[in-house]
Amino acid sequence: MAWLKRLFRSKEKAAKPEHKMAMTSEQADKMLRMIEHTQDEELSCDEVFKLLYIYAEMASLGEDVGELFPLVEHHLEMCPDCREEYEAVMRILEKRMD
Ligand SMILES: [Zn+2]
């Protein structure tokens, strides 16, 4: 059954993302569950703060964060405190990329 093992191994390899993602799929799952859980509610500043770094990281990677995290985006539009924090994180990320 060596061919089967080979097949399995090559499948495993192919499933890995080509570029290094900013977070593990486990983290993403946890986050998505958290977002689903709060889907119909406004996020609190605390919840936005928890998501802020990954939100900024995704944004800096060119992801459509407004599509991925509409509640975070909405909150950032409404809340100057969180927006300030977001901008600070973005500045750090941009610096890191130089
Ligand atoms: Zn806020």
Side-chain angles (χ1 to χ4, degrees):
M1 296 298 258
W3 63 271
L4 190 64
K5 272 188 192 162
R6 262 204 307 276
L7 190 73
F8 187 68
R9 245 202 312 268
S10 67
K11 245 186 186 170
E12 230 176 20
K13 214 175 187 179
K16 278 182 188 163
E18 279 166 32
H19 59 280
K20 211 175 158 210
M21 280 297 289
M23 59 180 168
T24 66
S25 59
E26 197 185 313
Q27 281 174 309
D29 279 356
K30 207 188 276 179
M31 200 165 63
L32 283 175
R33 269 200 298 277
M34 191 166 123
I35 292 164
E36 269 169 34
H37 186 67
T38 53
Q39 207 162 36
D40 296 325
E41 299 160 27
E42 302 271 310
L43 291 181
S44 69
C45 290
D46 259 12
E47 286 166 324
V48 170
F49 266 60
K50 274 183 221 152
L51 291 167
L52 203 58
Y53 193 85
I54 196 74
Y55 179 90
E57 180 118 31
M58 300 284 266
S60 73
L61 289 171
E63 299 287 339
D64 189 354
V65 285
E67 184 81 17
L68 290 166
F69 308 110
L71 288 173
V72 177
E73 187 186 51
H74 176 70
H75 186 100
L76 290 175
E77 277 166 16
M78 308 301 289
C79 177
D81 286 348
C82 289
R83 197 165 54 234
E84 201 175 291
E85 186 67 21
Y86 169 67
E87 280 162 10
V89 173
M90 278 307 265
R91 274 197 298 273
I92 293 165
L93 290 176
E94 276 160 21
K95 249 184 223 157
R96 201 186 56 184
M97 279 175 192
D98 288 341

